[in-house]
């Protein structure tokens, strides 16, 4: 223990000799550590949100009208109101397809600005409680009564709570329950009602001269959600559904792939820059510690002359570099975390504008990423200082003392 304390003391003393150089190196390492940590937090947040939201969604496939593919993805990921319809009998044969376990229709509509609606431009989703497998199973809280017409289920980010009343197109709806937060826009922001209530709201909009009437008619639906049997072949079901030229099939895999492609495009520049900075840091540390070795030839020669072994000299130099880069790594994580915290709303807004849902990773996950970032910083320091340390440890005591005079 005393040996390591002495090593720490010597390393700290050496770092204090040249404060400007020490702080410059520390800032350089902190920039890399902060960039790696912040980028990892953002990527993990998007990935976790996507997995959580789609796992709760429960549907393996979504069938939408031809031409509504992009709108449906945007509606699902960001909760942006998207309106499109098709005849309900277009998917009449879907339940008979081999491998299909459940089929549930939904209709989409939006609310109007003005006195008729408590919230303007809200995304309202009508679903069939008899066949539903994507909304009711995920209620976190609900009233102690049956769910039915003129009741509503709200997303986790919706300002209304269980028991509140919402008015859409003059129709009062009681909030029956609330879903948990997922980071996926459709679940967090939408209001879910029965399909019959959705048709009623559409008819009320047509009787209200102050609003633009909704285009939803009875017999129309917006999407069909499909859950497959265990062991079913998604490709085969997708192929069968896609034979209908008037529809498009969206799979959970397609959505994940699409978002991850956006992630790669968005963060590839940051990733490349981080790699370049890591390599630059290694080279810079190697160059600076080579200079340090030349400056301290006499000191290292004296240490060797009084009995210090080669491996002790090597460890002293590497330890000094590792300590410096560890401090830089920790500083970068603190600064990176503060920046994420200060600009969190802007970051989430911009990600959602790119159809990327976001939910902050857990504390344990962030601590894990922080440890990785610090570990990476220490590795950079060790790799960068290893060669100069090897040269310094091999110097002959007499030559080192004479050379340092």
């Amino acid at each position: 223990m005393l040996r390591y304390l002495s090593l720490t003391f010597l390393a700290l003393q050496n770092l204090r000799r040249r404060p400007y150089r020490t702080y410059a190196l520390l800032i350089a390492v902190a920039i890399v550590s902060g960039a790696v940590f912040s980028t990892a937090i953002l990527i993990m947040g998007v990935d976790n949100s996507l997995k959580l939201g789609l796992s709760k969604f429960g549907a393996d496939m979504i069938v939408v009208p031809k031409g509504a593919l992009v709108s449906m993805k945007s509606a699902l990921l960001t909760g942006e109101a998207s309106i499109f319809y098709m005849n309900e009998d277009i998917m009449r044969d879907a339940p008979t397809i081999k491998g299909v376990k459940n089929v549930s229709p939904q209709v989409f509509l939006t609310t109007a600005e003005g006195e008729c609606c408590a919230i303007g431009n809200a995304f309202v989703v009508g679903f069939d409680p008899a066949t539903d497998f994507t909304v009711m199973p995920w209620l976190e809280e609900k009233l102690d009564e049956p769910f039915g017409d003129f009741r509503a289920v709200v997303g986790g980010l919706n300002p209304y709570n269980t028991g509140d009343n919402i008015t859409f197109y003059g129709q009062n709806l009681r909030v029956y329950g609330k879903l948990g937060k997922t980071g996926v826009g459709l679940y967090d922001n939408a209001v879910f009602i029965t399909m019959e209530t959705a048709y009623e709201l559409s008819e009320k909009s047509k009787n209200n001269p102050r609003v633009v009437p909704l285009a939803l008619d009875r017999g129309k639906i917006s999407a069909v959600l499909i859950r497959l049997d265990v062991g079913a072949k998604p490709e085969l079901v997708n192929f069968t559904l896609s034979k209908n030229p008037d529809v498009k099939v969206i799979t959970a895999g397609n959505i994940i792939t699409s978002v991850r492609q956006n992630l790669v495009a968005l963060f590839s520049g940051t990733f490349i820059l981080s790699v370049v900075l890591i390599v630059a840091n290694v080279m810079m540390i190697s160059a600076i510690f080579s200079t340090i070795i030349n400056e301290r030839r006499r000191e290292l020669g004296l240490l060797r002359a009084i009995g210090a072994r080669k491996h002790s000299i090597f460890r002293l130099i590497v330890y000094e570099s590792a300590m410096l880069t560890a401090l830089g790594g920790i500083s970068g994580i603190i600064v990176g975390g503060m920046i994420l915290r200060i600009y969190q709303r802007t970051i989430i807004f911009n990600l959602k504008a790119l159809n990327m849902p976001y939910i902050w990773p857990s504390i344990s996950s962030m601590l894990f990423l922080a440890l990785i970032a610090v570990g990476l910083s220490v590795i950079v320091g060790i790799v960068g200082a290893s060669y100069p340390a090897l040269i310094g440890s091999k110097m002959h005591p007499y030559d080192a003392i004479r050379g340092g005079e």
Side-chain angles (χ1 to χ4, degrees):
M1 184 66 185
L2 182 62
R3 183 176 55 183
Y4 286 103
L5 285 176
S6 299
L7 201 63
T8 304
F9 177 77
L10 284 173
L12 283 174
Q13 290 300 315
N14 291 332
L15 291 175
R16 286 173 180 168
R17 286 182 183 177
R18 302 277 186 173
Y20 176 78
R21 186 165 59 194
T22 298
Y23 287 127
L25 274 174
L26 193 145
I27 291 171
V29 175
I31 290 172
V32 177
S33 170
V36 170
F37 176 70
S38 304
T39 304
I41 289 286
L42 293 176
I43 291 175
M44 178 178 279
V46 173
D47 204 50
N48 285 351
S49 175
L50 198 62
K51 288 178 180 175
L52 175 66
L54 292 180
S55 66
K56 280 196 170 186
F57 191 58
D60 299 299
M61 296 179 180
I62 309 169
V63 181
V64 296
K66 183 181 178 181
L69 191 65
V70 175
S71 298
M72 183 64 218
K73 286 183 179 179
S74 176
L76 180 63
L77 296 174
T78 68
E80 180 184 347
S82 299
I83 310 302
F84 42 83
Y85 302 111
M86 59 186 176
N87 292 325
E88 62 180 358
D89 57 359
I90 204 167
M91 283 285 102
R92 183 186 304 161
D93 297 332
T96 63
I97 297 174
K98 185 180 179 181
V100 172
K101 183 179 181 180
N102 300 101
V103 175
S104 184
Q106 290 188 346
V107 294
F108 301 156
L109 52 90
T110 186
T111 60
E113 298 278 2
E115 296 179 355
C116 71
C117 299
I119 311 172
N121 295 321
F123 191 17
V124 181
V125 178
F127 69 100
D128 179 8
T131 59
D132 169 64
F133 54 91
T134 64
V135 180
M136 300 304 283
W138 309 113
L139 280 172
E140 281 203 343
E141 53 183 86
K142 63 178 183 178
L143 296 176
D144 188 18
E145 61 184 40
F147 179 75
D149 295 338
F150 308 117
R151 298 287 186 272
V153 172
V154 296
L157 293 180
N158 196 287
Y160 290 90
N161 295 308
T162 302
D164 290 346
N165 290 308
I166 314 176
T167 301
F168 291 147
Y169 296 103
Q171 176 63 54
N172 188 51
L173 306 174
R174 193 177 187 199
V175 177
Y176 173 81
K178 193 161 190 172
L179 302 173
K181 295 177 184 176
T182 65
V184 171
L186 178 62
Y187 267 88
D188 288 344
N189 300 309
V191 176
F192 298 88
I193 57 178
T194 65
M195 291 183 67
E196 179 57 31
T197 304
Y199 292 129
E200 289 280 346
L201 293 184
S202 179
E203 289 170 5
K204 285 181 179 295
S205 75
K206 293 170 182 171
N207 295 326
N208 189 339
R210 297 183 178 179
V211 301
V212 177
L214 295 172
L216 174 62
D217 297 320
R218 292 184 182 276
K220 298 282 187 181
I221 58 175
S222 298
V224 176
L225 311 184
I226 294 177
R227 181 162 63 182
L228 302 181
D229 274 320
V230 176
K233 295 181 177 178
E235 301 82 7
L236 184 60
V237 176
N238 190 347
F239 176 76
T240 307
L241 291 169
S242 299
K243 287 182 178 178
N244 189 328
D246 296 323
V247 301
K248 284 290 182 182
V249 181
I250 303 172
T251 65
N254 284 344
I255 297 171
I256 292 175
T257 301
S258 172
V259 173
R260 284 182 176 162
Q261 285 174 342
N262 287 340
L263 266 181
V264 170
L266 182 64
F267 291 109
S268 60
T270 306
F271 176 75
I272 293 171
L273 179 62
S274 297
V275 172
V276 170
L277 287 174
I278 288 172
V279 174
N281 269 358
V282 170
M283 296 176 67
M284 181 175 63
I285 289 171
S286 181
I288 289 178
F289 271 81
S290 295
T291 304
I292 290 173
I293 297 298
N294 283 329
E295 291 175 353
R296 291 161 51 187
R297 289 174 67 90
R298 188 166 185 273
E299 173 195 330
L300 297 177
L302 287 172
L303 285 173
R304 290 279 287 122
I306 63 175
R309 298 189 175 183
K310 291 181 178 178
H311 65 83
S312 299
I313 300 296
F314 180 86
R315 279 172 37 200
L316 173 64
I317 298 168
V318 170
Y319 193 73
E320 188 176 318
S321 176
M323 185 182 294
L324 175 66
T325 51
L327 289 173
I330 293 170
S331 302
I333 288 166
I334 293 172
V335 174
M338 290 173 64
I339 291 174
L340 287 176
R341 180 68 179 172
I342 292 170
Y343 295 102
Q344 59 177 329
R345 291 188 177 180
T346 304
I347 292 169
I348 293 174
F349 176 81
N350 287 324
L351 287 174
K352 287 191 173 180
L354 295 170
N355 284 344
M356 294 184 193
Y358 192 81
I359 191 168
W360 290 102
S362 64
I363 297 295
S364 58
S365 297
M366 288 195 275
L367 288 175
F368 178 69
L369 292 177
L371 286 175
I372 291 177
V374 173
L376 181 63
S377 301
V378 172
I379 291 172
V380 167
I382 292 174
V383 173
S386 290
Y387 182 71
L390 185 64
I391 298 298
S393 66
K394 288 184 175 180
M395 287 190 298
H396 192 277
Y398 177 78
D399 294 337
I401 294 171
R402 289 294 304 274
E405 289 178 348

